[in-house]
Amino acid sequence: MKFTKENIVFLLENVGGSENIEKISHCISRMRFKLVDITKANTEEIKKQKWCKGVLIVGGEYQVVIGTEIESFYKMFLKTTGINENANDELKTKKQKMTFIMFVSSIFSPIMILLVVYGMWEMVRTPFFLSSNSTEIPTLIEINSFMELISKGLSWFIVMAVCWSTFRVMGGTPIIGLAIGAILISPMLTPLSALDLDGGKTIIQAMNEHGWKIFGNAVFPWKVSFEGLVIPMIFVGLLGVFIERGMNKVNLGGARMLIQPMVVIAGTVIVTMFTIAPAGLIITNYMSISFNFLMTHNITKYIFSPLIGMLYAPMVVFGLHRTITPILMQDILKFNGSFIMGLMIISNICLAVGCLTFGRLNKNCKEVKNIAYSNGISAFIAGVTEPAIYSISLKYLFPLIASAIGTYFGCLLYTSAGVWTNAAPFGILGIIGFASTIPQGINVEQWAGGSIVWGTLSVILGISITIFMTIVLSQVKYFKERTNKILFDEYGFTPELKQKSIFKFKGNKNGKIK
């Protein structure tokens, strides 16, 4: 869609003008405003615009859903309004409380594109990776090794970017956060994946082989690399910001530019290696183990996994899906895949199918058909579901319920069959992620045929049930009346009624029509 200057001016005026904007940013599909006075926003008028896929308020943040073309819209907004791109740091008029969900969302929003790129690249690399492990053809082995250069670089930078983003969100100096992140994934340190846990060794016993003997024979602190430790890196960023704030209160005169960055970086790294690193290594490892246990245990997997999949789309509505992101990223960086990723792929595909089916059912209303098809295809192919959710699924409600039911049964089969998903895109192309083998350390019984067969069948089952339930629910009186009212109010569209329902009138005793 081509955006115009009038679109930008309209949005600016209806969020209360530039003086009402405290912060501005964007994620993969939404404009995100922190408004001084949120009541000044004219939400209903914004929703009526064709370029707007929906409006929601999450944790005090005003979000306008644009869709996959958000990048061009955001750049045009900055250029047209004259608002500086560093608005996050400069447009501050008063401090407001930040909720936990908003905090997590703000950290991971700018990083999500890297996770998408990582998934896409791993999809491209998968055939070479599998071939290099099953054959001894030197060319394939070398190509896979070369492609791993990009994979490793992205996985390292994602962790570094978490520290950078935490500094950015908390008002610190982002470049210092990036430097701290780089130090903590130095090749001098040992990642969790490189630990030798054979022979029943615990993590502590294994780490005792990798550490500094500063205090005599005692091995401490450990040489813990933060590669794959996404959640602990958030705490590192917070620590660095608090140290920087403390240094801001110290009168260093002209030496501030030299001394403060050094103290913040060195102080954060030293404190981290003695406290956050060992604690984060142990807690993160066992948190991941607990999560995977719930998804693989013979009893809990039939409850926990399908519910996560079914509730994923509704979680997107409230921004709660960001709480899963750290665990997902951690699994991907550690195992190059995750059980959770497959659940998300099935959920995204089912939601897209529900949206597309709705468009087909209401094909006579061209406006809503075009919206449903464009946003449904975006969700189906790229896994970008927000436009489909806010423009169709949540708005008309029954497509969201139908896709949740389809997702539940798709995820139930996915879990029962013991499917594992390698890093892959979040849409239909994510099926390539089912071409995988379960990594060491993950104990699960897998049905004959493997992940590729049962993962694909899980998607097909979810799609089939979603289509069926969307059609069935569309005939329910409440949903039919709700849909007809919205179509009439917003598009002036009146569904074609059967002849008998148009001319079926009842008369009173005088022959007058009631």
Side-chain angles (χ1 to χ4, degrees):
M1 180 178 180
K2 187 176 181 180
F3 303 110
T4 65
K5 182 178 179 181
E6 287 71 25
N7 299 150
I8 303 300
V9 173
F10 179 88
L11 179 59
L12 180 64
E13 290 176 350
N14 282 275
V15 294
S18 57
E19 65 277 2
N20 195 41
I21 300 175
E22 181 179 353
K23 295 182 182 180
I24 180 174
S25 61
H26 75 90
C27 60
I28 203 166
S29 65
R30 313 177 197 177
M31 290 286 288
R32 307 165 74 97
F33 296 95
K34 191 70 178 294
L35 302 179
V36 177
D37 184 358
I38 208 165
T39 61
K40 291 183 178 180
N42 195 343
T43 301
E44 292 305 316
E45 288 300 315
I46 295 175
K47 283 183 177 180
K48 292 178 182 178
Q49 306 307 303
K50 291 184 178 180
W51 44 264
C52 175
K53 305 299 190 299
V55 177
L56 65 155
I57 300 172
V58 180
E61 191 175 62
Y62 194 81
Q63 302 179 0
V64 180
V65 184
I66 303 298
T68 53
E69 296 172 306
I70 181 64
E71 186 68 30
S72 60
F73 188 92
Y74 180 71
K75 288 181 179 178
M76 182 180 286
F77 188 91
L78 296 180
K79 183 178 179 181
T80 304
T81 61
I83 295 176
N84 193 286
E85 192 166 4
N86 296 319
N88 283 341
D89 300 320
E90 297 175 5
L91 297 178
K92 295 180 181 178
T93 57
K94 64 177 183 178
K95 291 185 178 180
Q96 296 183 11
K97 289 184 178 180
M98 181 180 289
T99 65
F100 174 74
I101 297 299
M102 184 178 174
F103 173 67
V104 174
S105 178
S106 298
I107 289 176
F108 287 102
S109 289
I111 305 173
M112 284 305 295
I113 186 63
L114 293 178
L115 193 60
V116 173
V117 171
Y118 183 82
M120 288 291 290
W121 180 251
E122 285 302 296
M123 180 190 72
V124 174
R125 180 183 163 224
T126 294
F128 296 94
F129 173 75
L130 295 175
S131 300
S132 65
N133 286 338
S134 59
T135 65
E136 295 183 1
I137 302 176
T139 302
L140 289 176
I141 295 173
E142 291 302 313
I143 291 175
N144 176 64
S145 177
F146 181 79
M147 296 178 79
E148 189 179 12
L149 168 68
I150 297 177
S151 298
K152 277 289 186 183
L154 282 170
S155 68
W156 289 341
F157 189 79
I158 286 171
V159 179
M160 292 164 54
V162 170
C163 195
W164 163 84
S165 189
T166 304
F167 264 75
R168 179 186 63 86
V169 171
M170 296 300 293
T173 306
I175 192 64
I176 291 180
L178 193 63
I180 293 170
I183 292 170
L184 294 176
I185 59 167
S186 166
M188 290 180 61
L189 304 175
T190 306
L192 183 62
S193 57
L195 291 180
D196 180 12
L197 299 176
D198 294 337
K201 283 184 180 178
T202 64
I203 289 180
I204 295 176
Q205 290 172 332
M207 282 308 305
N208 281 334
E209 299 174 4
H210 305 275
W212 288 279
K213 295 183 178 180
I214 297 176
F215 306 104
N217 294 326
V219 182
F220 197 79
W222 298 328
K223 295 181 179 180
V224 179
S225 171
F226 274 70
E227 180 183 338
L229 299 182
V230 176
I231 298 174
M233 188 61 88
I234 296 176
F235 291 99
V236 173
L238 291 173
L239 171 64
V241 170
F242 289 133
I243 292 177
E244 184 176 16
R245 288 178 180 175
M247 290 299 297
N248 287 335
K249 298 177 182 179
V250 180
N251 185 11
L252 298 174
R256 178 175 297 279
M257 288 290 292
L258 297 174
I259 297 176
Q260 180 163 319
M262 181 188 68
V263 172
V264 173
I265 293 173
T268 302
V269 171
I270 291 171
V271 174
T272 294
M273 295 310 295
F274 278 92
T275 56
I276 297 176
L281 176 70
I282 296 170
I283 294 172
T284 298
N285 180 66
Y286 287 108
M287 184 177 70
S288 180
I289 289 173
S290 300
F291 210 87
N292 285 323
F293 171 81
L294 290 171
M295 300 183 74
T296 58
H297 187 268
N298 290 332
I299 297 176
T300 58
K301 69 179 183 180
Y302 297 111
I303 302 171
F304 188 72
S305 298
L307 282 177
I308 287 290
M310 183 180 74
L311 295 174
Y312 182 72
M315 288 170 71
V316 172
V317 175
F318 299 102
L320 295 173
H321 64 303
R322 296 297 187 196
T323 58
I324 295 178
T325 302
I327 300 173
L328 172 66
M329 294 176 73
Q330 198 160 272
D331 279 352
I332 289 176
L333 297 178
K334 181 180 177 182
F335 299 116
N336 192 39
S338 173
F339 279 117
I340 305 173
M341 173 159 278
L343 304 179
M344 294 169 65
I345 290 171
I346 294 172
S347 173
N348 291 345
I349 292 173
C350 288
L351 188 115
V353 169
C355 182
L356 292 169
T357 305
F358 178 88
R360 176 63 181 171
L361 292 173
N362 296 277
K363 62 181 180 179
N364 292 329
C365 180
K366 292 183 179 180
E367 293 90 344
V368 80
K369 181 188 74 172
N370 292 336
I371 292 172
Y373 281 3
S374 62
N375 293 338
I377 290 172
S378 173
F380 190 77
I381 296 176
V384 180
T385 59
E386 282 94 337
I389 289 176
Y390 299 117
S391 64
I392 300 294
S393 299
L394 184 62
K395 192 173 189 177
Y396 299 93
L397 199 58
F398 71 88
L400 183 64
I401 297 173
S403 61
I405 295 171
T407 300
Y408 178 86
F409 286 102
C411 291
L412 184 61
L413 178 58
Y414 171 93
T415 301
S416 302
V419 179
W420 175 263
T421 309
N422 279 346
F426 292 102
I428 190 64
L429 295 177
I431 287 179
I432 192 67
F434 298 144
S436 62
T437 55
I438 298 175
Q440 288 185 335
I442 301 294
N443 298 316
V444 64
E445 290 185 13
Q446 192 172 76
W447 291 359
S451 294
I452 186 63
V453 171
W454 292 105
T456 304
L457 289 176
S458 299
V459 171
I460 294 173
L461 177 64
I463 289 174
S464 302
I465 294 177
T466 297
I467 294 173
F468 175 75
M469 290 306 302
T470 304
I471 295 172
V472 169
L473 291 176
S474 70
Q475 299 304 310
V476 174
K477 182 179 179 181
Y478 170 77
F479 293 126
K480 184 181 289 188
E481 292 178 349
R482 176 189 174 91
T483 300
N484 291 343
K485 185 177 186 305
I486 294 174
L487 294 180
F488 180 77
D489 290 346
E490 296 195 6
Y491 307 104
F493 177 79
T494 303
E496 294 181 7
L497 301 176
K498 293 182 179 180
Q499 195 78 359
K500 63 180 182 180
S501 64
I502 296 177
F503 297 103
K504 188 176 181 181
F505 299 108
K506 290 183 179 181
N508 58 20
K509 292 180 179 180
N510 297 322
K512 295 181 180 179
I513 296 174
K514 285 185 178 180

Coordinates of all heavy atoms in Angstrom, one line a residue, residues 81-131:
T81 N 6.7 14.7 9.9 CA 6.4 15.4 11.2 C 7.6 16.2 11.7 O 7.5 17.0 12.6 CB 6.0 14.4 12.3 OG1 7.0 13.4 12.5 CG2 4.7 13.7 11.8
G82 N 8.8 15.8 11.3 CA 10.0 16.4 11.8 C 10.5 15.9 13.1 O 11.4 16.5 13.7
I83 N 9.8 14.9 13.6 CA 10.2 14.3 14.9 C 11.5 13.5 14.7 O 11.7 12.7 13.7 CB 9.1 13.3 15.4 CG1 7.9 14.1 15.7 CG2 9.6 12.6 16.6 CD1 6.7 13.3 16.2
N84 N 12.5 13.7 15.6 CA 13.8 13.1 15.5 C 13.7 11.6 15.6 O 12.9 11.1 16.4 CB 14.8 13.7 16.5 CG 16.2 13.3 16.2 OD1 16.6 12.1 16.5 ND2 17.0 14.2 15.8
E85 N 14.5 10.8 14.9 CA 14.5 9.4 15.0 C 14.9 8.9 16.4 O 14.5 7.8 16.8 CB 15.4 8.7 13.9 CG 15.2 7.3 13.8 CD 15.8 6.7 12.5 OE1 16.5 7.5 11.8 OE2 15.6 5.5 12.3
N86 N 15.6 9.7 17.1 CA 16.0 9.3 18.5 C 15.0 9.8 19.5 O 15.3 10.2 20.6 CB 17.4 9.9 18.8 CG 18.5 9.4 18.0 OD1 18.5 8.2 17.7 ND2 19.4 10.2 17.5
A87 N 13.7 9.7 19.0 CA 12.6 10.2 19.9 C 12.6 9.5 21.2 O 12.1 10.0 22.2 CB 11.3 10.0 19.2
N88 N 13.0 8.2 21.2 CA 13.0 7.5 22.5 C 13.8 8.2 23.6 O 13.5 8.1 24.8 CB 13.5 6.1 22.3 CG 12.6 5.2 21.5 OD1 11.4 5.5 21.5 ND2 13.0 4.1 21.0
D89 N 14.8 8.9 23.2 CA 15.7 9.5 24.2 C 15.3 11.0 24.4 O 15.5 11.5 25.4 CB 17.1 9.4 23.7 CG 17.6 8.0 23.6 OD1 17.2 7.2 24.4 OD2 18.3 7.7 22.6
E90 N 14.7 11.6 23.3 CA 14.6 13.1 23.4 C 13.1 13.5 23.7 O 13.0 14.6 24.2 CB 15.0 13.6 22.0 CG 16.5 13.4 21.7 CD 16.9 13.9 20.4 OE1 16.0 14.5 19.7 OE2 18.0 13.6 20.0
L91 N 12.2 12.7 23.4 CA 10.8 13.2 23.6 C 10.3 12.7 25.0 O 9.5 11.9 25.1 CB 9.9 12.6 22.5 CG 10.1 13.1 21.1 CD1 9.2 12.5 20.1 CD2 10.0 14.6 21.0
K92 N 10.9 13.3 26.0 CA 10.5 12.9 27.4 C 9.9 14.1 28.1 O 10.6 15.1 28.3 CB 11.8 12.4 28.1 CG 12.3 11.1 27.5 CD 13.5 10.6 28.3 CE 14.1 9.3 27.7 NZ 15.3 8.9 28.4
T93 N 8.7 14.0 28.4 CA 8.1 15.1 29.1 C 7.8 14.8 30.6 O 7.8 15.7 31.4 CB 6.7 15.5 28.4 OG1 5.9 14.3 28.4 CG2 7.0 15.9 27.0
K94 N 7.5 13.6 30.9 CA 7.3 13.2 32.3 C 7.5 11.7 32.4 O 7.4 10.9 31.5 CB 6.0 13.6 32.7 CG 4.8 12.9 32.0 CD 3.5 13.3 32.6 CE 2.3 12.5 32.0 NZ 1.0 12.9 32.5
K95 N 7.9 11.3 33.6 CA 8.1 9.8 33.8 C 6.8 9.1 34.1 O 6.0 9.6 34.8 CB 9.1 9.6 35.0 CG 10.5 10.1 34.7 CD 11.4 9.7 35.9 CE 12.8 10.1 35.6 NZ 13.7 9.8 36.7
Q96 N 6.7 8.0 33.5 CA 5.5 7.2 33.7 C 5.9 5.8 34.1 O 7.0 5.3 33.7 CB 4.6 7.1 32.5 CG 4.0 8.5 32.1 CD 3.1 8.4 30.9 OE1 2.7 7.3 30.5 NE2 2.8 9.5 30.3
K97 N 5.1 5.1 34.8 CA 5.4 3.7 35.2 C 5.4 2.8 34.0 O 4.6 2.9 33.1 CB 4.5 3.2 36.3 CG 4.6 3.9 37.6 CD 3.7 3.3 38.7 CE 3.9 3.9 40.0 NZ 3.0 3.3 41.0
M98 N 6.4 1.9 33.9 CA 6.4 0.9 32.9 C 6.1 -0.5 33.4 O 6.7 -0.9 34.3 CB 7.8 0.9 32.2 CG 8.0 -0.1 31.1 SD 9.6 -0.1 30.4 CE 9.7 1.5 29.6
T99 N 5.0 -1.1 32.8 CA 4.6 -2.4 33.3 C 5.7 -3.4 32.8 O 6.5 -3.2 31.9 CB 3.3 -2.8 32.7 OG1 3.4 -2.9 31.3 CG2 2.2 -1.7 33.0
F100 N 5.6 -4.6 33.4 CA 6.6 -5.7 33.1 C 6.4 -6.1 31.6 O 7.4 -6.2 30.9 CB 6.3 -6.9 34.0 CG 7.1 -8.1 33.6 CD1 8.5 -8.1 33.9 CD2 6.5 -9.2 33.0 CE1 9.3 -9.2 33.5 CE2 7.3 -10.3 32.6 CZ 8.7 -10.3 32.9
I101 N 5.1 -6.2 31.2 CA 4.9 -6.6 29.8 C 5.5 -5.6 28.8 O 6.1 -5.9 27.8 CB 3.4 -6.8 29.5 CG1 2.9 -7.9 30.4 CG2 3.1 -7.1 28.1 CD1 3.5 -9.3 30.1
M102 N 5.2 -4.3 29.2 CA 5.7 -3.2 28.3 C 7.2 -3.2 28.3 O 7.9 -2.9 27.2 CB 5.2 -1.9 28.8 CG 5.5 -0.7 27.9 SD 4.8 0.8 28.5 CE 5.5 2.0 27.4
F103 N 7.8 -3.5 29.4 CA 9.3 -3.5 29.6 C 9.9 -4.6 28.7 O 10.8 -4.3 27.9 CB 9.7 -3.7 31.0 CG 11.2 -3.9 31.2 CD1 12.1 -2.9 31.0 CD2 11.7 -5.1 31.7 CE1 13.4 -3.1 31.2 CE2 13.0 -5.3 31.9 CZ 13.9 -4.3 31.6
V104 N 9.4 -5.8 28.8 CA 9.9 -6.9 28.0 C 9.6 -6.7 26.5 O 10.5 -6.9 25.7 CB 9.2 -8.2 28.5 CG1 9.6 -9.4 27.5 CG2 9.6 -8.6 29.9
S105 N 8.4 -6.2 26.2 CA 8.1 -5.9 24.8 C 9.0 -4.9 24.2 O 9.5 -5.0 23.1 CB 6.6 -5.4 24.7 OG 6.3 -5.1 23.4
S106 N 9.3 -3.8 25.0 CA 10.2 -2.7 24.5 C 11.6 -3.2 24.2 O 12.3 -2.8 23.3 CB 10.2 -1.6 25.5 OG 9.0 -1.0 25.7
I107 N 12.1 -4.2 25.0 CA 13.4 -4.7 24.8 C 13.5 -5.6 23.6 O 14.4 -5.5 22.7 CB 13.8 -5.5 26.0 CG1 14.1 -4.6 27.2 CG2 15.1 -6.4 25.7 CD1 14.5 -5.4 28.5
F108 N 12.5 -6.4 23.4 CA 12.6 -7.4 22.3 C 12.0 -7.0 21.0 O 12.3 -7.6 19.9 CB 11.9 -8.7 22.7 CG 12.7 -9.5 23.7 CD1 12.4 -9.5 25.1 CD2 13.9 -10.2 23.4 CE1 13.1 -10.1 26.0 CE2 14.6 -10.9 24.3 CZ 14.3 -10.8 25.6
S109 N 11.2 -5.9 21.0 CA 10.6 -5.4 19.7 C 11.6 -5.2 18.6 O 11.5 -5.7 17.5 CB 9.7 -4.2 19.9 OG 8.6 -4.6 20.6
P110 N 12.7 -4.4 18.9 CA 13.6 -4.1 17.8 C 14.5 -5.3 17.4 O 15.2 -5.3 16.4 CB 14.5 -3.0 18.4 CG 14.4 -3.1 19.8 CD 13.0 -3.6 20.1
I111 N 14.5 -6.3 18.3 CA 15.4 -7.5 18.0 C 14.6 -8.6 17.2 O 15.3 -9.5 16.6 CB 15.9 -8.1 19.3 CG1 16.6 -7.0 20.2 CG2 16.9 -9.2 19.1 CD1 17.0 -7.4 21.5
M112 N 13.3 -8.5 17.2 CA 12.5 -9.6 16.6 C 12.9 -9.8 15.1 O 12.9 -10.9 14.6 CB 11.0 -9.3 16.7 CG 10.5 -9.6 18.1 SD 10.8 -11.2 18.7 CE 9.8 -12.2 17.5
I113 N 13.2 -8.7 14.4 CA 13.6 -8.8 13.0 C 14.8 -9.7 12.8 O 14.9 -10.5 11.9 CB 13.8 -7.4 12.4 CG1 14.0 -7.5 10.9 CG2 15.0 -6.7 13.0 CD1 12.8 -8.1 10.1
L114 N 15.7 -9.6 13.8 CA 16.9 -10.5 13.8 C 16.6 -11.9 13.9 O 17.2 -12.8 13.3 CB 17.9 -10.1 14.9 CG 18.6 -8.7 14.7 CD1 19.5 -8.4 15.9 CD2 19.4 -8.6 13.4
L115 N 15.6 -12.2 14.8 CA 15.2 -13.6 15.0 C 14.5 -14.1 13.8 O 14.7 -15.3 13.4 CB 14.2 -13.6 16.2 CG 13.9 -15.0 16.7 CD1 15.1 -15.7 17.2 CD2 12.8 -14.9 17.9
V116 N 13.7 -13.3 13.1 CA 13.1 -13.7 11.8 C 14.2 -14.0 10.8 O 14.1 -15.0 10.1 CB 12.2 -12.6 11.3 CG1 11.6 -12.9 9.9 CG2 11.0 -12.4 12.2
V117 N 15.2 -13.1 10.7 CA 16.3 -13.3 9.7 C 17.0 -14.6 10.1 O 17.4 -15.4 9.2 CB 17.3 -12.1 9.7 CG1 18.5 -12.4 8.9 CG2 16.6 -10.9 9.2
Y118 N 17.3 -14.8 11.4 CA 18.0 -16.0 11.8 C 17.2 -17.3 11.4 O 17.7 -18.2 10.9 CB 18.2 -16.0 13.3 CG 18.9 -17.2 13.9 CD1 20.3 -17.2 13.9 CD2 18.3 -18.2 14.4 CE1 21.0 -18.2 14.4 CE2 19.0 -19.3 15.0 CZ 20.4 -19.3 14.9 OH 21.1 -20.4 15.5
G119 N 15.9 -17.2 11.6 CA 15.0 -18.4 11.2 C 15.0 -18.6 9.7 O 15.1 -19.8 9.3
M120 N 14.9 -17.5 8.9 CA 15.0 -17.7 7.5 C 16.3 -18.2 7.0 O 16.3 -19.1 6.1 CB 14.7 -16.3 6.8 CG 13.3 -15.8 7.0 SD 12.1 -16.7 6.0 CE 12.6 -16.3 4.3
W121 N 17.4 -17.8 7.6 CA 18.7 -18.2 7.2 C 18.9 -19.7 7.6 O 19.5 -20.5 6.8 CB 19.8 -17.4 7.8 CG 21.2 -17.8 7.4 CD1 22.1 -18.5 8.2 CD2 21.8 -17.7 6.1 NE1 23.2 -18.8 7.5 CE2 23.1 -18.3 6.2 CE3 21.3 -17.2 4.9 CZ2 23.9 -18.4 5.1 CZ3 22.2 -17.3 3.8 CH2 23.4 -17.9 3.9
E122 N 18.4 -20.1 8.7 CA 18.5 -21.5 9.1 C 17.7 -22.4 8.2 O 18.1 -23.5 8.0 CB 18.1 -21.7 10.6 CG 19.1 -21.2 11.6 CD 20.5 -21.9 11.4 OE1 20.6 -23.1 11.7 OE2 21.5 -21.2 11.1
M123 N 16.6 -21.9 7.7 CA 15.8 -22.6 6.8 C 16.6 -22.9 5.5 O 16.6 -24.0 4.9 CB 14.5 -21.9 6.4 CG 13.6 -22.6 5.4 SD 12.3 -21.5 4.8 CE 13.2 -20.4 3.7
V124 N 17.3 -21.8 5.0 CA 18.1 -22.0 3.8 C 19.3 -22.9 4.1 O 19.7 -23.7 3.2 CB 18.7 -20.6 3.4 CG1 19.7 -20.7 2.2 CG2 17.5 -19.7 3.0
R125 N 19.8 -22.9 5.3 CA 21.0 -23.7 5.6 C 20.7 -25.1 5.9 O 21.6 -26.0 5.8 CB 21.7 -23.0 6.8 CG 23.0 -23.8 7.3 CD 23.5 -23.2 8.5 NE 24.5 -24.1 9.2 CZ 24.5 -24.3 10.4 NH1 23.7 -23.7 11.3 NH2 25.4 -25.2 10.9
T126 N 19.4 -25.4 6.3 CA 19.1 -26.8 6.8 C 19.5 -27.9 5.8 O 20.1 -28.9 6.2 CB 17.6 -26.8 7.1 OG1 17.3 -26.0 8.2 CG2 17.1 -28.3 7.4
P127 N 19.2 -27.8 4.5 CA 19.5 -28.9 3.6 C 21.0 -29.2 3.6 O 21.5 -30.3 3.5 CB 19.1 -28.4 2.2 CG 18.0 -27.4 2.5 CD 18.4 -26.7 3.8
F128 N 21.8 -28.1 3.6 CA 23.3 -28.3 3.6 C 23.8 -28.9 5.0 O 24.7 -29.7 5.0 CB 24.0 -26.9 3.4 CG 23.7 -26.3 2.0 CD1 22.7 -25.4 1.9 CD2 24.4 -26.7 0.9 CE1 22.4 -24.9 0.6 CE2 24.2 -26.2 -0.3 CZ 23.1 -25.3 -0.5
F129 N 23.1 -28.4 6.1 CA 23.5 -29.0 7.4 C 23.2 -30.4 7.5 O 24.0 -31.2 7.9 CB 22.7 -28.2 8.5 CG 22.9 -28.8 9.8 CD1 24.0 -28.6 10.6 CD2 21.9 -29.5 10.4 CE1 24.2 -29.1 11.8 CE2 22.0 -30.1 11.7 CZ 23.2 -29.8 12.4
L130 N 22.0 -30.9 7.0 CA 21.6 -32.3 7.1 C 22.5 -33.1 6.1 O 22.9 -34.2 6.5 CB 20.2 -32.4 6.7 CG 19.1 -31.8 7.6 CD1 17.7 -32.0 7.1 CD2 19.2 -32.5 9.0
S131 N 22.8 -32.5 4.9 CA 23.7 -33.3 4.0 C 25.1 -33.4 4.5 O 25.7 -34.5 4.3 CB 23.7 -32.5 2.6 OG 22.4 -32.4 2.1

